[in-house]
Amino acid sequence: MHRLSHLLPFLTWLPRQSGRSLRQDLLVGLSGAILALPQSIAYALIAGLPVEYGLYAAIVPVLIACLWGSSWHLICGPTAAISIVLYASISPLAVAGSGDYVTLVLLLTFLGGVFQLLLGLLRFGAVVNFVSQSVVLGFTLGAAIVIALGQLPNLLGLDLPSQATALKALQELAGHVGDVDLPSLALGLATLLIGVTLKLWRPRWPSLLISLLLVSLTAWLLPGIFGHVPRVPAFVGQLPPLSPLPLTDLELILRLLPSAVAVGMLGLVTSLSIARSLSARSEQMIDADQEIRAQGLSNIIGAFFSGYLSSGSFTRSGLSFEAGARSPMAGVFSALWLALFAVTGAGLIAHLPVPAMAGSILLICWGLVDHRGMRALFRVSRSEFLVMALTAAATLLLELQTAIYAGVLASLFFYLKRTSRPRVQQSREGEADVLRVGGSIFFGAAHYLQVRLQRCEGPHVVIDARQVNFIDYSGVDMLHREARRLLRSGGSLTLQRARPQVVEELHKLEGPQNCPIRFEE
């Protein structure tokens, strides 16, 4: 039974559901689907995909992630950050919206899901922690700016080619300011204004959906003014179709692999951050490895059902929690409601003006930026704020997946810089110099500690090692060499209150009898 629940984790909570909890989750799922409908369409446009693929990405992947995950409130689906990374990764290889483009996006989704699943199976959930919150904040800020610049031509009624970087997009836009179509601009600004007003006046209402409906109705009632404004392309209403993938094209797979790792890691960081945040409020225990496996499985299976890469959604997950979801069935019902909308609502979606969709995307971009988190980061850690700023700058100047790597490397640089200089308090007790070391003695810190040891004036040196949790070969070798140097001058090196694992590592080099270091309790 334990093995079965490991393979099918939903068996642990599904039998406990009652009619009352299912009715509650059914209503919560409807609210989530109403919120997800315009978002999914907008995210598909950001990703350079036909609009129906946004709906497909919010159906099968969401079902799998909810049933195999560990969080009761995490709802997955297409997101703005993932969509812009997919567009940046695939647009150089194929024309956006074409059949080849769709195939490459789905193949990248499959590869990203395989990477995520492998991390979960190998229980490497801690790897996700290397993408710090400052990197996520900086990437989200940069991605929001990139998305907004990419949507401004649609808002202004301009037909401009997509650009590789945000700066080039801004230059291209500046050269066509005189060609702005005023009716298109009016529809886009009206969508923004209505959406912002509803968010402030009625935060729980589906402001995106209402603003899109009102503006679309206005455009339909006034064809003399808005008849020329482009609409969202029509599509055939259907359930997610099966999509074959070129899994035998090894050269193509290797070309997409770096982007798949970057986007897969970004999706995991986002999902786990949301799950942990909600679990802290709901007092629910989260299994990070199970959540990672669920994310990977949802993207692997979703790719074969036309769903591009999904991850945790801040807005939909927050709605699920605030609306009182009783179980992951709320997410399952949300996906089923969207499947119904995908079949029955295709004709209505085709009436949405493109500038109105651009306005709604700009509204989403503003909501992406975590202003409170950025201010808090500036107050708490200037170095982490610098990492955030570097990541944001890299997002604007480089390819987005490269920006993620740049942010991770910046975080690791500042972490290693900080840990390479552990806190050392020096005092004099009798004939001995006493160094109280607060931190691990590893390869990054070994040289700094060696310099501090050589600056000690007396021949006898004592290291208070009660706060040393870890020592590697570089640290062991350095302490042995310093101990022998002190012995040659008639002195000694003593470790006080060292942890058993530290003593064990120091004895491994030459054995307990030949160890030049003394140990005291």
Side-chain angles (χ1 to χ4, degrees):
M1 194 64 190
H2 176 72
R3 184 183 296 271
L4 186 61
S5 64
H6 183 73
L7 294 174
L8 305 173
F10 54 85
L11 293 179
T12 60
W13 55 263
L14 190 58
R16 298 199 299 266
Q17 302 307 304
S18 63
R20 183 178 180 182
S21 67
L22 288 175
R23 285 192 298 271
Q24 175 70 13
D25 286 341
L26 183 68
L27 293 175
V28 174
L30 177 60
S31 300
I34 292 173
L35 175 67
L37 182 61
Q39 284 187 339
S40 300
I41 297 169
Y43 295 151
L45 293 175
I46 292 172
L49 293 165
V51 292
E52 61 268 29
Y53 283 87
L55 298 177
Y56 298 156
I59 298 175
V60 173
V62 175
L63 286 171
I64 301 298
C66 287
L67 292 174
W68 268 263
S70 66
S71 173
W72 289 0
H73 301 107
L74 179 67
I75 309 294
C76 295
T79 64
I82 295 293
S83 299
I84 191 64
V85 174
L86 289 175
Y87 176 76
S89 302
I90 304 301
S91 57
L93 305 179
V95 177
S98 65
D100 290 340
Y101 184 90
V102 171
T103 300
L104 290 176
V105 168
L106 296 180
L107 178 60
L108 181 58
T109 297
F110 174 83
L111 295 175
V114 170
F115 169 72
Q116 292 174 333
L117 183 61
L118 286 175
L119 285 184
L121 292 175
L122 296 173
R123 300 188 178 277
F124 278 6
V127 172
V128 179
N129 296 330
F130 283 101
V131 184
S132 65
Q133 185 66 16
S134 57
V135 173
V136 175
L137 285 173
F139 176 80
T140 305
L141 172 62
I145 296 173
V146 171
I147 296 167
L149 289 175
Q151 289 302 313
L152 282 179
N154 292 330
L155 184 82
L156 301 174
L158 302 175
D159 184 15
L160 300 180
S162 59
Q163 301 296 326
T165 66
L167 290 179
K168 289 184 178 180
L170 191 59
Q171 291 172 353
E172 182 75 14
L173 190 63
H176 293 80
V177 172
D179 302 328
V180 172
D181 181 66
L182 293 180
S184 297
L185 178 61
L187 290 177
L189 292 179
T191 308
L192 268 174
L193 182 62
I194 296 171
V196 171
T197 303
L198 287 175
K199 270 185 172 296
L200 296 175
W201 182 47
R202 289 288 187 268
R204 291 181 177 273
W205 286 14
S207 55
L208 274 181
L209 184 64
I210 294 174
S211 60
L212 283 173
L213 289 177
L214 291 176
V215 171
S216 299
L217 181 62
T218 303
W220 181 70
L221 291 174
L222 301 172
I225 301 175
F226 302 110
H228 69 284
V229 175
R231 265 53 172 185
V232 170
F235 65 95
V236 178
Q238 61 179 354
L239 293 175
L242 291 173
S243 298
L245 301 178
L247 299 179
T248 57
D249 192 339
L250 185 60
E251 182 180 352
L252 183 60
I253 289 174
L254 291 176
R255 187 170 184 178
L256 294 178
L257 202 56
S259 298
V261 172
V263 77
M265 185 69 78
L266 177 63
L268 290 182
V269 171
T270 304
S271 300
L272 287 182
S273 298
I274 298 170
R276 287 170 178 169
S277 174
L278 294 177
S279 68
R281 298 168 64 185
S282 64
E283 299 182 355
Q284 182 208 354
M285 293 295 294
I286 297 296
D287 185 337
D289 291 316
Q290 180 183 333
E291 203 63 60
I292 290 174
R293 291 193 296 270
Q295 295 292 314
L297 193 63
S298 70
N299 286 314
I300 291 173
I301 297 177
F304 289 103
F305 286 89
S306 303
Y308 76 90
L309 203 139
S310 67
S311 68
S313 166
F314 287 103
T315 51
R316 295 179 64 192
S317 301
L319 173 65
S320 177
F321 176 78
E322 295 293 341
R326 303 290 184 87
S327 73
M329 284 302 297
V332 172
F333 285 132
S334 172
L336 295 178
W337 280 115
L338 272 175
L340 179 63
F341 294 157
V343 173
T344 60
L348 294 175
I349 292 171
H351 289 287
L352 296 175
V354 170
M357 288 301 307
S360 67
I361 292 173
L362 291 179
L363 197 60
I364 292 171
C365 290
W366 179 256
L368 274 176
V369 181
D370 188 353
H371 304 88
R372 181 182 300 176
M374 291 165 59
R375 288 193 297 267
L377 189 65
F378 182 78
R379 290 194 302 268
V380 173
S381 173
R382 298 298 169 87
S383 63
E384 285 295 298
F385 186 85
L386 180 59
V387 170
M388 185 211 71
L390 289 173
T391 306
T395 305
L396 298 175
L397 300 173
L398 307 173
E399 295 181 359
L400 289 185
Q401 62 271 25
T402 308
I404 299 174
Y405 295 140
V408 172
L409 289 175
S411 291
L412 290 176
F413 170 78
F414 282 107
Y415 170 77
L416 290 174
K417 181 180 179 182
R418 185 168 58 250
T419 56
S420 66
R421 297 175 66 89
R423 186 177 67 258
V424 177
Q425 295 178 336
Q426 187 170 350
S427 61
R428 184 80 177 177
E429 297 182 7
E431 297 182 357
D433 287 294
V434 179
L435 301 180
R436 292 176 177 84
V437 179
S440 298
I441 305 177
F442 71 112
F443 65 91
H447 176 71
Y448 174 75
L449 289 175
Q450 185 177 21
V451 171
R452 294 298 300 266
L453 286 170
Q454 292 178 356
R455 287 178 180 173
C456 292
E457 297 178 358
H460 301 287
V461 179
V462 176
I463 296 178
D464 188 336
R466 74 182 81 180
Q467 296 182 13
V468 178
N469 298 316
F470 168 76
I471 186 169
D472 67 357
Y473 171 76
S474 297
V476 169
D477 181 62
M478 182 273 294
L479 289 181
H480 274 252
R481 285 188 282 107
E482 287 303 302
R484 295 197 181 281
R485 178 183 65 80
L486 291 170
L487 283 173
R488 287 195 297 269
S489 60
S492 64
L493 177 62
T494 305
L495 257 64
Q496 284 184 345
R497 300 173 183 149
R499 298 176 184 269
Q501 61 267 29
V502 173
V503 176
E504 182 181 353
E505 292 299 320
L506 288 166
H507 282 163
K508 283 181 179 179
L509 191 60
E510 298 180 9
Q513 283 74 29
N514 297 323
C515 183
I517 303 171
R518 298 178 181 179
F519 298 94
E520 292 180 357
E521 292 298 326

